[in-house]
């Protein structure tokens, strides 16, 4: 992977992956360590908080500790509690940094519920079984319910420049962040934004690469959580291919060389040692990427460079 050099505008899109997202946090920490920052960040589901921390220059300061807390909470208190507690802890830092003058554009993907019937079930006691069925549908590629009842909705902190894209604000940031993570099979607390029902981004937009490309970036770094191909959603509807071009942006995919399960990190459960190992694996991958693409540092827009 070789960068194009001067005149580049950088975007970073981070794919969801639940606890496997610790790898991406390691990559982002390495970028921060080397001074590689983007003009636009796109996040979804489990990548929302780590991507936001990278956008405000706090990826390293938080590091793997965030994931240790998340894994411990998931085992003992449930995922809704984990995410809501994380938003409460990190929300002030993110709201202060993401909406300041000169901050990079921050894109936050969700799945909006588009029919009254679906809103009723996703907000009610039938949500857990529906969530389980949607996970089973991954193996058959059946996107029927999703196509009929959900639509990808990507909020932007720079919505004024995006022609009608929903606006991410300090006032709705917490609600949109939680909505982006709400996998129905394991999240007990329903998600609403401005009184409308939402569910996890991964059903429709697990990696908002196209949306980041549409911001006018020329180099698009896509961070995956698995060694497998990176797809737009959990139903593998569109592969995001290393070396391809999306809306004028050259795509660079950074992902693990091995399944993180071998280190003890699965989607919903992980050992402390596994999380630390996966974070360091991501950090090493991020440092390697920067070494292979030094020209991107000239486009990173870091004061004083």
């Amino acid at each position: 992977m070789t960068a194009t050099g001067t005149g580049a505008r950088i975007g970073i899109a981070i794919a969801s992956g639940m606890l496997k997202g610790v790898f991406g946090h390691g990559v982002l920490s390495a970028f921060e360590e080397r001074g590689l920052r983007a003009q636009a960040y796109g996040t979804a589901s489990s990548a929302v908080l780590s991507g936001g921390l990278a956008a405000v220059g706090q990826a390293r300061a938080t590091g793997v500790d965030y994931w240790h807390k998340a894994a411990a909470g998931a085992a003992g208190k449930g995922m809704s509690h984990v995410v809501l507690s994380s938003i409460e802890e990190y929300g002030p830092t993110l709201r202060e940094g993401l909406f300041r003058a000169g901050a990079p554009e921050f894109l936050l993907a969700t799945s909006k519920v588009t029919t009254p019937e679906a809103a009723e079930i996703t907000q009610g006691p039938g949500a857990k079984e529906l969530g389980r069925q949607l996970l089973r549908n991954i193996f058959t590629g059946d996107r029927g319910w999703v196509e009929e009842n959900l639509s990808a909705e990507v909020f932007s902190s720079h919505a004024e420049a995006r022609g009608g894209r929903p606006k991410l604000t300090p006032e709705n940031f917490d609600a949109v962040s939680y909505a982006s993570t709400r996998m129905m099979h394991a999240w007990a607390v329903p998600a609403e934004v401005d009184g409308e029902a939402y569910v996890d981004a991964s059903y429709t937009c697990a990696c908002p690469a196209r949306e980041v490309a549409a911001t006018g970036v020329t180099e698009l770094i896509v961070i995956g959580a698995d060694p497998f191909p990176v797809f737009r959603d959990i139903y593998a509807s569109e592969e995001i291919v290393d070396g391809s071009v999306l809306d004028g942006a050259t795509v660079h995919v950074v992902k693990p060389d091995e399944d993180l399960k071998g280190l003890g990190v699965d989607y919903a459960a992980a050992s402390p040692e596994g999380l630390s190992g996966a974070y360091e694996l991501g950090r090493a991958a991020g440092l390697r990427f920067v070494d292979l693409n030094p020209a991107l540092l000239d486009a990173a827009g870091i004061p004083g460079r």
Side-chain angles (χ1 to χ4, degrees), residues 2-13:
T2 303
T4 59
T6 60
R9 177 176 165 83
I10 301 168
I12 297 176

Side-chain angles (χ1 to χ4, degrees), residues 55-180:
V56 302
Q58 294 294 314
R60 285 189 298 166
T62 307
V64 74
D65 288 347
Y66 163 71
W67 297 92
H68 285 158
K69 292 178 187 176
K77 300 177 182 179
M79 289 306 302
S80 287
H81 175 85
V82 169
V83 174
L84 291 169
S85 295
S86 296
I87 292 170
E88 182 178 2
E89 180 175 357
Y90 298 106
T93 296
L94 294 173
R95 289 191 299 271
E96 179 182 358
L98 291 173
F99 302 100
R100 74 186 190 281
E105 181 167 4
F106 189 69
L107 301 171
L108 205 169
T110 64
S111 296
K112 184 176 183 179
V113 182
T114 56
T115 66
E117 296 79 12
E120 182 175 358
I121 191 170
T122 59
Q123 303 299 88
K128 181 175 287 190
E129 179 52 38
L130 173 61
R132 290 170 177 160
Q133 182 60 55
L134 293 180
L135 289 181
R136 290 192 289 268
N137 290 350
I138 293 173
F139 300 102
T140 63
D142 180 2
R143 299 181 73 248
W145 192 92
V146 168
E147 291 175 350
E148 292 173 6
N149 297 285
L150 302 179
S151 67
E153 189 161 274
V154 182
F155 289 73
S156 170
S157 62
H158 292 188
E160 296 86 349
R162 300 294 162 227
R165 187 168 295 287
K167 187 174 183 179
L168 187 67
T169 68
E171 291 73 30
N172 69 14
F173 177 81
D174 289 6
V176 178
S177 295
Y178 177 72
S180 183

Side-chain angles (χ1 to χ4, degrees), residues 198-294:
Y198 284 77
V199 293
D200 194 286
S202 301
Y203 299 117
T204 61
C205 187
C207 184
R210 284 197 171 275
E211 287 77 7
V212 175
T215 67
V217 301
T218 59
E219 305 292 328
L220 174 59
I221 303 168
V222 175
I223 303 174
D226 281 301
F228 321 118
V230 180
F231 293 105
R232 177 169 174 81
D233 57 46
I234 59 175
Y235 301 101
S237 64
E238 177 188 353
E239 184 178 353
I240 302 165
V241 180
D242 185 52
S244 64
V245 177
L246 286 179
D247 207 358
T250 300
V251 176
H252 309 270
V253 175
V254 182
K255 61 184 181 179
D257 293 329
E258 59 188 276
D259 192 335
L260 300 180
K261 288 174 66 175
L263 295 176
V265 179
D266 207 346
Y267 296 109
S271 69
E273 298 79 11
L275 287 168
S276 295
Y279 176 84
E280 289 301 327
L281 193 69
R283 181 173 170 273
L287 293 175
R288 185 165 58 250
F289 176 84
V290 175
D291 288 342
L292 290 170
N293 295 271

